[in-house]
Amino acid sequence: MSDIVNWLNGYVWSPVLVYLLLGIGLMYSILTRFVQVRYFIEMIKLIFEGGGSKAGVNSFQSLALSLGGRIGVGNIAGVATAISLGGPGAVFWMWFAAFLGSATSFVEITLTQVYKSKIDGEYRGGIPFYIEKGLNMRWFAVVSAILTLFVMGFLWPGVQANTVALALNDAFGITPIITGIFVVIFLGTIIFGGLKRIAKYSEIVVPFMASGYVLMCVIILTLNYAKIPSVLSLIFNSAFSLDATFGGIIGAAIAWGVQRGIYANGAGLGSETFESGCVEVSHPAKQGLVQAFSVYIDTFLICTSTAFMILVTGMYDVKPEGMEPITNKLGNVAPSMYTQLAVDSVFPQFGAGFLAIALLFFCFTTLTSYYYKAETTLAYLRQYLKIKSIWPNHLLKVTLLATVLYGSVKTAATVWAMGDLGTGALAWLNLTVVFFLTKTALKVLKDYEMQKKKGEDPVFDPVKLGIKGADFWEKEYGKVEQDIPAKQDKLSV
């Protein structure tokens, strides 16, 4: 199986995709006049705006849900892998991809809100919804829903479970199968509780786990403050082929920095659109700005924390694919263990345990996020197939839990290859769709800016803007949710 996955990755993750991700991000940065910079303060304010209801959640809960999906193994093991395969310069390209990607994220999330629906009394949105309503291509929307369901339910969960199993085995000697069973039991209690329980769990756990992880980083950097200037110099010199040791692998630095960075923050993949579809806001651009900010939190805060801990302590090797190792200080140590070694080098007998527990929290929040995304696409498919029974939802839960158990005991190389395949497939799909809906997103941004200039609290009116397919905003918005009985919002046919 691993041979097939690796073969497919060779096509999916060609250099074309790497530069497409950067190019699309640059295009949206220019077209929106760098919305990710101009509205930075506004992004922070909007996080705490917007109320929830029986049908949806507020902006902060959505941010927590999204960060729960973004902040995970990609921020720890993913960053370490990028450094291992692309050298320290990969960190710069991770930053660069995130800066441009925040503009892409604004566009895709804005489109999500424009074309969201109300299904079974809950707000839903994401890639399939804006394909059908925005492009009027229902067959393509169904294909995207099936692909997303496959990625979230089968390809991605194993990466999270495998990394946690390895970490707990290293720290406490717990066998992977025991870890897998524990994760399955606890995860089951969460996902069987529905959206509200998932949102509440993320709202409580995400700020706690993220702040604890960053605090550990701050302590380590404070104890090694004298090395920070040299680490920054190493990152930039390696990124632009100016470093004697790592400068010769600039291509790998760009490729792995972008690939692992996108896996961590999700910008451009469409994977973060689903949480944003369930938010109750008065204008789509508001949620677009909130999620653009979450890319900053994920990459510039969490990923950077990981990278600096690894580089400042020197707990890494650089072993580009198809080449002899450039450094081999640690021997045959998996890159996913670099962060644990970094913390352990400063706090002996503590680092391994701390990182294992942190990864456990990261794993749970990410897996709950994957389930929500998969459930949303399943809701779309059930509506398309006119399936009223909830047995597909139960089957999805069982499949996800089985995948988690499977990933816990497989080799790291296999599950990471599967994860990369899912990331690349989603990127090709979503970037193509979003490109053709660019005009709509820019209309929405312009409308938001005009209302803000008038001193108004922006309210979205798709009819006024000539945007078709925004059924929710035409028929449902403005009603008091507590008085609306649960009913399905009919998608266009």
Side-chain angles (χ1 to χ4, degrees), residues 304-357:
T304 300
S305 297
T306 299
F308 270 61
M309 280 196 292
I310 291 172
L311 295 176
V312 82
T313 58
M315 291 293 113
Y316 67 96
D317 279 322
V318 178
K319 301 177 179 180
E321 286 187 324
M323 297 174 59
E324 289 295 317
I326 295 177
T327 64
N328 195 16
K329 299 172 292 185
L330 305 179
N332 192 29
V333 175
S336 60
M337 303 301 294
Y338 290 174
T339 313
Q340 282 184 245
L341 294 175
V343 179
D344 220 31
S345 69
V346 178
F347 299 100
Q349 309 304 318
F350 174 75
F354 172 80
L355 257 296
I357 299 301

Short mmCIF file of all heavy atoms in Angstrom, two decimals, residues 304-357:
data_model
loop_
_atom_site.label_atom_id
_atom_site.label_comp_id
_atom_site.label_asym_id
_atom_site.label_seq_id
_atom_site.Cartn_x
_atom_site.Cartn_y
_atom_site.Cartn_z
N THR A 304 6.25 28.32 14.65
CA THR A 304 7.52 29.00 14.95
C THR A 304 8.06 28.58 16.30
O THR A 304 9.28 28.43 16.48
CB THR A 304 7.32 30.52 14.90
OG1 THR A 304 6.88 30.89 13.59
CG2 THR A 304 8.62 31.25 15.21
N SER A 305 7.17 28.38 17.27
CA SER A 305 7.60 27.91 18.59
C SER A 305 8.33 26.58 18.47
O SER A 305 9.40 26.37 19.05
CB SER A 305 6.39 27.76 19.52
OG SER A 305 5.76 29.00 19.74
N THR A 306 7.74 25.67 17.69
CA THR A 306 8.36 24.36 17.49
C THR A 306 9.71 24.49 16.80
O THR A 306 10.71 23.90 17.23
CB THR A 306 7.45 23.46 16.63
OG1 THR A 306 6.21 23.27 17.31
CG2 THR A 306 8.09 22.10 16.39
N ALA A 307 9.75 25.26 15.72
CA ALA A 307 10.98 25.41 14.95
C ALA A 307 12.11 25.98 15.79
O ALA A 307 13.25 25.50 15.75
CB ALA A 307 10.73 26.31 13.74
N PHE A 308 11.80 27.01 16.58
CA PHE A 308 12.85 27.64 17.39
C PHE A 308 13.34 26.72 18.50
O PHE A 308 14.53 26.71 18.83
CB PHE A 308 12.34 28.96 17.97
CG PHE A 308 12.60 30.13 17.07
CD1 PHE A 308 12.04 30.16 15.80
CD2 PHE A 308 13.39 31.20 17.47
CE1 PHE A 308 12.28 31.22 14.95
CE2 PHE A 308 13.64 32.26 16.63
CZ PHE A 308 13.09 32.28 15.36
N MET A 309 12.42 25.94 19.10
CA MET A 309 12.87 24.99 20.12
C MET A 309 13.84 23.97 19.54
O MET A 309 14.86 23.64 20.16
CB MET A 309 11.66 24.27 20.74
CG MET A 309 10.92 25.08 21.78
SD MET A 309 9.81 24.07 22.81
CE MET A 309 8.56 23.60 21.61
N ILE A 310 13.54 23.50 18.35
CA ILE A 310 14.39 22.50 17.71
C ILE A 310 15.74 23.09 17.32
O ILE A 310 16.80 22.53 17.61
CB ILE A 310 13.68 21.92 16.46
CG1 ILE A 310 12.48 21.07 16.89
CG2 ILE A 310 14.65 21.08 15.63
CD1 ILE A 310 11.61 20.61 15.73
N LEU A 311 15.71 24.27 16.67
CA LEU A 311 16.94 24.86 16.14
C LEU A 311 17.84 25.44 17.23
O LEU A 311 19.06 25.31 17.16
CB LEU A 311 16.58 25.95 15.13
CG LEU A 311 15.87 25.47 13.86
CD1 LEU A 311 15.48 26.66 12.98
CD2 LEU A 311 16.76 24.51 13.07
N VAL A 312 17.24 26.04 18.25
CA VAL A 312 18.06 26.66 19.28
C VAL A 312 18.76 25.63 20.15
O VAL A 312 19.84 25.89 20.71
CB VAL A 312 17.19 27.62 20.14
CG1 VAL A 312 16.42 26.87 21.22
CG2 VAL A 312 18.05 28.71 20.78
N THR A 313 18.18 24.45 20.26
CA THR A 313 18.82 23.38 21.05
C THR A 313 19.69 22.47 20.18
O THR A 313 20.43 21.64 20.72
CB THR A 313 17.75 22.50 21.74
OG1 THR A 313 16.88 21.94 20.75
CG2 THR A 313 16.94 23.33 22.74
N GLY A 314 19.59 22.62 18.85
CA GLY A 314 20.39 21.79 17.95
C GLY A 314 19.93 20.35 17.86
O GLY A 314 20.66 19.48 17.36
N MET A 315 18.70 20.08 18.29
CA MET A 315 18.19 18.70 18.28
C MET A 315 17.52 18.36 16.94
O MET A 315 16.31 18.18 16.84
CB MET A 315 17.18 18.50 19.43
CG MET A 315 17.81 18.52 20.81
SD MET A 315 18.88 17.09 21.10
CE MET A 315 20.47 17.88 21.20
N TYR A 316 18.33 18.31 15.88
CA TYR A 316 17.79 17.96 14.57
C TYR A 316 18.92 17.48 13.66
O TYR A 316 20.10 17.75 13.90
CB TYR A 316 17.12 19.18 13.92
CG TYR A 316 18.08 20.29 13.55
CD1 TYR A 316 18.61 20.39 12.26
CD2 TYR A 316 18.48 21.24 14.50
CE1 TYR A 316 19.49 21.40 11.92
CE2 TYR A 316 19.36 22.24 14.18
CZ TYR A 316 19.87 22.33 12.88
OH TYR A 316 20.76 23.32 12.56
N ASP A 317 18.53 16.75 12.63
CA ASP A 317 19.42 16.37 11.54
C ASP A 317 18.76 16.77 10.24
O ASP A 317 17.52 16.91 10.17
CB ASP A 317 19.68 14.86 11.54
CG ASP A 317 20.75 14.45 12.56
OD1 ASP A 317 21.72 15.21 12.71
OD2 ASP A 317 20.59 13.39 13.18
N VAL A 318 19.56 16.95 9.21
CA VAL A 318 19.03 17.29 7.89
C VAL A 318 19.39 16.17 6.94
O VAL A 318 20.57 15.94 6.65
CB VAL A 318 19.59 18.64 7.39
CG1 VAL A 318 19.05 18.94 5.98
CG2 VAL A 318 19.22 19.77 8.35
N LYS A 319 18.35 15.47 6.48
CA LYS A 319 18.54 14.30 5.61
C LYS A 319 17.59 14.40 4.41
O LYS A 319 16.52 13.79 4.39
CB LYS A 319 18.25 13.02 6.39
CG LYS A 319 19.15 12.84 7.62
CD LYS A 319 18.79 11.59 8.40
CE LYS A 319 19.69 11.40 9.61
NZ LYS A 319 19.36 10.19 10.40
N PRO A 320 17.97 15.19 3.40
CA PRO A 320 17.11 15.37 2.22
C PRO A 320 16.85 14.05 1.51
O PRO A 320 17.71 13.16 1.50
CB PRO A 320 17.92 16.32 1.33
CG PRO A 320 18.89 16.98 2.26
CD PRO A 320 19.21 15.96 3.30
N GLU A 321 15.68 13.93 0.92
CA GLU A 321 15.34 12.72 0.19
C GLU A 321 16.27 12.51 -1.00
O GLU A 321 16.58 13.44 -1.75
CB GLU A 321 13.89 12.79 -0.31
CG GLU A 321 12.85 12.61 0.77
CD GLU A 321 11.45 12.53 0.21
OE1 GLU A 321 11.17 13.24 -0.78
OE2 GLU A 321 10.63 11.77 0.75
N GLY A 322 16.74 11.28 -1.17
CA GLY A 322 17.59 10.95 -2.31
C GLY A 322 19.01 11.46 -2.21
O GLY A 322 19.75 11.43 -3.20
N MET A 323 19.41 11.96 -1.04
CA MET A 323 20.75 12.50 -0.85
C MET A 323 21.37 11.93 0.42
O MET A 323 20.67 11.40 1.30
CB MET A 323 20.71 14.04 -0.73
CG MET A 323 20.22 14.76 -1.96
SD MET A 323 20.04 16.55 -1.66
CE MET A 323 21.73 16.99 -1.18
N GLU A 324 22.68 12.06 0.51
CA GLU A 324 23.36 11.68 1.73
C GLU A 324 23.01 12.68 2.83
O GLU A 324 22.81 13.87 2.54
CB GLU A 324 24.87 11.65 1.52
CG GLU A 324 25.36 10.51 0.64
CD GLU A 324 25.11 9.15 1.28
OE1 GLU A 324 25.35 9.02 2.51
OE2 GLU A 324 24.64 8.24 0.58
N PRO A 325 22.92 12.25 4.09
CA PRO A 325 22.61 13.18 5.18
C PRO A 325 23.62 14.32 5.24
O PRO A 325 24.83 14.10 5.10
CB PRO A 325 22.70 12.29 6.43
CG PRO A 325 22.45 10.91 5.94
CD PRO A 325 23.05 10.85 4.57
N ILE A 326 23.11 15.52 5.42
CA ILE A 326 24.00 16.68 5.57
C ILE A 326 24.53 16.73 6.99
O ILE A 326 25.69 17.07 7.23
CB ILE A 326 23.25 17.97 5.21
CG1 ILE A 326 22.87 17.94 3.73
CG2 ILE A 326 24.10 19.20 5.52
CD1 ILE A 326 22.06 19.13 3.27
N THR A 327 23.68 16.42 7.96
CA THR A 327 24.10 16.26 9.35
C THR A 327 23.50 14.97 9.89
O THR A 327 22.41 14.57 9.47
CB THR A 327 23.64 17.44 10.25
OG1 THR A 327 22.21 17.46 10.31
CG2 THR A 327 24.14 18.77 9.69
N ASN A 328 24.21 14.33 10.78
CA ASN A 328 23.73 13.06 11.34
C ASN A 328 24.15 12.94 12.81
O ASN A 328 24.77 11.97 13.23
CB ASN A 328 24.27 11.89 10.53
CG ASN A 328 23.54 10.59 10.81
OD1 ASN A 328 22.43 10.59 11.37
ND2 ASN A 328 24.14 9.47 10.45
N LYS A 329 23.78 13.97 13.58
CA LYS A 329 24.17 14.03 14.99
C LYS A 329 23.36 13.08 15.86
O LYS A 329 23.86 12.55 16.85
CB LYS A 329 23.98 15.47 15.52
CG LYS A 329 24.82 16.52 14.80
CD LYS A 329 24.41 17.92 15.25
CE LYS A 329 23.01 18.27 14.76
NZ LYS A 329 22.63 19.66 15.07
N LEU A 330 22.10 12.88 15.51
CA LEU A 330 21.19 12.12 16.37
C LEU A 330 21.07 10.65 15.98
O LEU A 330 20.45 9.87 16.69
CB LEU A 330 19.79 12.76 16.34
CG LEU A 330 19.72 14.25 16.71
CD1 LEU A 330 18.29 14.74 16.60
CD2 LEU A 330 20.28 14.48 18.10
N GLY A 331 21.66 10.30 14.85
CA GLY A 331 21.58 8.91 14.41
C GLY A 331 20.23 8.60 13.78
O GLY A 331 19.61 9.46 13.16
N ASN A 332 19.75 7.40 13.99
CA ASN A 332 18.51 6.94 13.36
C ASN A 332 17.29 7.31 14.20
O ASN A 332 16.56 6.45 14.69
CB ASN A 332 18.58 5.43 13.14
CG ASN A 332 17.46 4.93 12.24
OD1 ASN A 332 16.99 5.66 11.38
ND2 ASN A 332 17.06 3.69 12.46
N VAL A 333 17.07 8.63 14.36
CA VAL A 333 15.94 9.13 15.15
C VAL A 333 14.91 9.72 14.19
O VAL A 333 15.24 10.53 13.32
CB VAL A 333 16.40 10.22 16.14
CG1 VAL A 333 15.20 10.82 16.87
CG2 VAL A 333 17.38 9.64 17.14
N ALA A 334 13.65 9.31 14.35
CA ALA A 334 12.58 9.83 13.49
C ALA A 334 12.41 11.33 13.72
O ALA A 334 12.48 11.81 14.86
CB ALA A 334 11.27 9.11 13.80
N PRO A 335 12.20 12.13 12.66
CA PRO A 335 12.01 13.57 12.82
C PRO A 335 10.90 13.95 13.78
O PRO A 335 10.96 14.99 14.43
CB PRO A 335 11.69 14.03 11.38
CG PRO A 335 12.36 13.02 10.52
CD PRO A 335 12.22 11.71 11.24
N SER A 336 9.88 13.10 13.88
CA SER A 336 8.77 13.40 14.79
C SER A 336 9.21 13.48 16.24
O SER A 336 8.48 14.01 17.09
CB SER A 336 7.66 12.35 14.64
OG SER A 336 8.15 11.06 14.95
N MET A 337 10.42 12.98 16.54
CA MET A 337 10.92 12.99 17.91
C MET A 337 11.80 14.20 18.20
O MET A 337 12.23 14.39 19.34
CB MET A 337 11.72 11.71 18.17
CG MET A 337 10.96 10.42 17.94
SD MET A 337 9.47 10.29 18.95
CE MET A 337 10.18 10.19 20.58
N TYR A 338 12.10 15.03 17.21
CA TYR A 338 13.02 16.15 17.41
C TYR A 338 12.53 17.12 18.49
O TYR A 338 13.32 17.61 19.30
CB TYR A 338 13.22 16.93 16.10
CG TYR A 338 14.01 16.22 15.04
CD1 TYR A 338 14.16 16.78 13.76
CD2 TYR A 338 14.62 14.98 15.27
CE1 TYR A 338 14.88 16.13 12.77
CE2 TYR A 338 15.33 14.33 14.28
CZ TYR A 338 15.45 14.91 13.03
OH TYR A 338 16.16 14.27 12.05
N THR A 339 11.23 17.42 18.48
CA THR A 339 10.71 18.38 19.45
C THR A 339 10.82 17.83 20.87
O THR A 339 11.16 18.57 21.81
CB THR A 339 9.24 18.72 19.13
OG1 THR A 339 9.11 19.00 17.75
CG2 THR A 339 8.79 19.93 19.93
N GLN A 340 10.54 16.55 21.04
CA GLN A 340 10.69 15.94 22.36
C GLN A 340 12.14 16.00 22.83
O GLN A 340 12.41 16.32 24.00
CB GLN A 340 10.24 14.48 22.32
CG GLN A 340 8.73 14.32 22.36
CD GLN A 340 8.32 12.86 22.41
OE1 GLN A 340 7.70 12.36 21.49
NE2 GLN A 340 8.65 12.18 23.47
N LEU A 341 13.06 15.72 21.94
CA LEU A 341 14.48 15.78 22.30
C LEU A 341 14.89 17.21 22.65
O LEU A 341 15.72 17.42 23.54
CB LEU A 341 15.34 15.26 21.15
CG LEU A 341 15.19 13.77 20.81
CD1 LEU A 341 16.01 13.44 19.57
CD2 LEU A 341 15.64 12.91 21.99
N ALA A 342 14.30 18.19 21.96
CA ALA A 342 14.63 19.59 22.23
C ALA A 342 14.22 19.98 23.64
O ALA A 342 14.99 20.60 24.40
CB ALA A 342 13.95 20.49 21.21
N VAL A 343 12.98 19.64 24.02
CA VAL A 343 12.50 19.96 25.37
C VAL A 343 13.28 19.17 26.41
O VAL A 343 13.66 19.69 27.47
CB VAL A 343 10.99 19.68 25.50
CG1 VAL A 343 10.50 20.00 26.90
CG2 VAL A 343 10.21 20.50 24.48
N ASP A 344 13.55 17.91 26.11
CA ASP A 344 14.27 17.05 27.05
C ASP A 344 15.70 17.51 27.27
O ASP A 344 16.28 17.29 28.34
CB ASP A 344 14.27 15.61 26.54
CG ASP A 344 14.05 14.60 27.66
OD1 ASP A 344 13.36 14.94 28.63
OD2 ASP A 344 14.59 13.49 27.56
N SER A 345 16.30 18.17 26.28
CA SER A 345 17.68 18.65 26.43
C SER A 345 17.78 19.79 27.42
O SER A 345 18.82 20.03 28.02
CB SER A 345 18.22 19.11 25.07
OG SER A 345 17.55 20.28 24.62
N VAL A 346 16.66 20.50 27.60
CA VAL A 346 16.63 21.61 28.57
C VAL A 346 16.06 21.15 29.90
O VAL A 346 16.52 21.55 30.97
CB VAL A 346 15.81 22.79 28.02
CG1 VAL A 346 15.74 23.93 29.04
CG2 VAL A 346 16.40 23.29 26.70
N PHE A 347 15.05 20.28 29.84
CA PHE A 347 14.43 19.75 31.05
C PHE A 347 14.50 18.22 31.03
O PHE A 347 13.54 17.56 30.64
CB PHE A 347 12.97 20.19 31.15
CG PHE A 347 12.77 21.68 31.22
CD1 PHE A 347 12.42 22.41 30.09
CD2 PHE A 347 12.97 22.36 32.41
CE1 PHE A 347 12.24 23.77 30.15
CE2 PHE A 347 12.81 23.73 32.49
CZ PHE A 347 12.44 24.45 31.35
N PRO A 348 15.64 17.66 31.42
CA PRO A 348 15.81 16.20 31.38
C PRO A 348 14.71 15.49 32.19
O PRO A 348 14.28 15.97 33.23
CB PRO A 348 17.19 16.00 32.03
CG PRO A 348 17.90 17.29 31.81
CD PRO A 348 16.85 18.35 31.90
N GLN A 349 14.28 14.37 31.66
CA GLN A 349 13.25 13.54 32.28
C GLN A 349 11.87 14.20 32.30
O GLN A 349 10.93 13.67 32.88
CB GLN A 349 13.63 13.18 33.74
CG GLN A 349 15.03 12.60 33.90
CD GLN A 349 15.25 11.37 33.05
OE1 GLN A 349 14.38 10.51 32.95
NE2 GLN A 349 16.42 11.30 32.40
N PHE A 350 11.75 15.36 31.67
CA PHE A 350 10.47 16.07 31.65
C PHE A 350 9.95 16.28 30.23
O PHE A 350 8.76 16.21 29.97
CB PHE A 350 10.60 17.43 32.35
CG PHE A 350 9.36 18.28 32.26
CD1 PHE A 350 8.25 17.99 33.04
CD2 PHE A 350 9.30 19.35 31.38
CE1 PHE A 350 7.09 18.77 32.95
CE2 PHE A 350 8.14 20.13 31.28
CZ PHE A 350 7.05 19.84 32.07
N GLY A 351 10.88 16.54 29.30
CA GLY A 351 10.49 16.90 27.95
C GLY A 351 9.65 15.85 27.26
O GLY A 351 8.62 16.17 26.64
N ALA A 352 10.07 14.60 27.34
CA ALA A 352 9.35 13.54 26.65
C ALA A 352 7.91 13.43 27.15
O ALA A 352 6.96 13.31 26.37
CB ALA A 352 10.07 12.20 26.83
N GLY A 353 7.75 13.49 28.47
CA GLY A 353 6.41 13.40 29.06
C GLY A 353 5.54 14.59 28.70
O GLY A 353 4.37 14.43 28.36
N PHE A 354 6.14 15.79 28.77
CA PHE A 354 5.39 17.01 28.45
C PHE A 354 4.90 16.98 27.01
O PHE A 354 3.73 17.26 26.72
CB PHE A 354 6.26 18.25 28.68
CG PHE A 354 5.63 19.53 28.18
CD1 PHE A 354 4.67 20.18 28.94
CD2 PHE A 354 5.98 20.06 26.94
CE1 PHE A 354 4.08 21.34 28.48
CE2 PHE A 354 5.39 21.22 26.47
CZ PHE A 354 4.43 21.87 27.24
N LEU A 355 5.81 16.65 26.08
CA LEU A 355 5.42 16.64 24.67
C LEU A 355 4.41 15.55 24.38
O LEU A 355 3.50 15.73 23.56
CB LEU A 355 6.66 16.45 23.80
CG LEU A 355 7.19 17.71 23.10
CD1 LEU A 355 6.18 18.25 22.12
CD2 LEU A 355 7.55 18.77 24.13
N ALA A 356 4.53 14.42 25.06
CA ALA A 356 3.57 13.34 24.83
C ALA A 356 2.17 13.77 25.25
O ALA A 356 1.19 13.52 24.53
CB ALA A 356 4.00 12.10 25.61
N ILE A 357 2.06 14.43 26.40
CA ILE A 357 0.76 14.91 26.87
C ILE A 357 0.23 16.01 25.96
O ILE A 357 -0.96 16.04 25.62
CB ILE A 357 0.86 15.43 28.32
CG1 ILE A 357 1.29 14.30 29.27
CG2 ILE A 357 -0.48 16.02 28.76
CD1 ILE A 357 0.36 13.11 29.28
#
